[in-house]
């Protein structure tokens, strides 16, 4: 069974959850596939992946984002929870925010998505705030 969680903006960010029959050693596996500004990070051991299709995000991630390990997992999870909550409230208010927030993000803070998924979601939300002149709350890093 696949559960699709995503955002539709000018492009798409999606977090997919699926059950697999094989459970590997539990280590994180990152599969970076780039094609036409598409970035895929897969964490097979935790059964989640993030696919981001947004022109400019790959170059922004490579040139401006802090490296993996700069932020701890609790920091990323806290920021993602706060920003996703704000994002989701804006989805239901298109009169005020237009079409920037088209789809709800189903981010559950009780699920351990792992570092890669949280890192990528966090950086996409930072990128989104900078490129669209939006503030989802709290401090947004100025790279």
């Amino acid at each position: 069974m696949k559960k699709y969680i995503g955002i539709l903006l000018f492009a798409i960010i999606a977090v997919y959850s699926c059950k697999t029959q094989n459970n590997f050693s539990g280590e994180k596996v990152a599969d970076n596939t780039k094609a036409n500004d598409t970035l895929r990070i897969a964490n097979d051991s935790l059964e989640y992946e993030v696919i981001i299709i947004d022109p400019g995000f790959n170059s922004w991630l490579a040139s401006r984002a802090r490296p993996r390990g700069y932020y701890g997992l609790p920091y990323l999870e806290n920021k993602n929870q706060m920003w996703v909550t704000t994002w989701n409230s804006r989805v239901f208010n298109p009169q005020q925010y237009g079409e920037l927030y088209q789809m709800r993000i189903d981010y559950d803070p009780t699920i351990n998505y792992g570092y890669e998924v949280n890192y990528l979601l966090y950086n996409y939300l930072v990128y989104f705030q900078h490129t669209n002149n939006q503030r989802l709350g709290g401090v947004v890093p100025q790279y």
Side-chain angles (χ1 to χ4, degrees):
M1 178 178 165
K2 287 189 178 181
K3 179 178 179 185
Y4 297 100
I5 309 162
I7 304 167
L8 180 61
L9 182 60
F10 299 112
I12 300 170
I13 176 175
V15 179
Y16 299 95
S17 168
C18 63
K19 300 283 182 189
T20 60
Q21 294 178 344
N22 295 334
N23 188 2
F24 299 100
S25 64
E27 68 183 49
K28 288 193 235 178
V29 177
D31 175 16
N32 296 340
T33 305
K34 297 178 185 178
N36 299 330
D37 286 319
T38 301
L39 178 68
R40 178 178 176 264
I41 302 277
N43 185 338
D44 295 333
S45 64
L46 295 178
E47 303 167 351
Y48 295 96
E49 72 178 7
V50 176
I51 298 174
I52 297 176
I53 305 168
D54 195 336
F57 178 68
N58 281 343
S59 61
W60 183 90
L61 185 64
S63 65
R64 301 195 67 192
R66 299 279 187 219
R68 283 168 178 78
Y70 184 86
Y71 297 112
L73 182 58
Y75 177 83
L76 296 175
E77 290 172 334
N78 288 335
K79 284 292 201 176
N80 286 342
Q81 182 179 357
M82 178 178 62
W83 288 344
V84 165
T85 300
T86 302
W87 177 287
N88 288 340
S89 70
R90 293 179 181 186
V91 166
F92 299 109
N93 196 355
Q95 294 80 11
Q96 184 174 356
Y97 296 103
E99 295 186 16
L100 283 177
Y101 307 91
Q102 292 184 0
M103 291 180 65
R104 185 177 178 281
I105 302 172
D106 191 11
Y107 182 84
D108 184 350
T110 64
I111 294 175
N112 178 8
Y113 294 105
Y115 192 86
E116 285 297 311
V117 170
N118 278 288
Y119 174 81
L120 194 56
L121 178 58
Y122 169 83
N123 278 297
Y124 180 76
L125 293 171
V126 170
Y127 167 80
F128 170 82
Q129 291 178 80
H130 283 290
T131 58
N132 294 291
N133 198 26
Q134 297 288 303
R135 295 295 169 257
L136 297 173
V139 176
V140 179
Q142 300 294 318
Y143 301 123

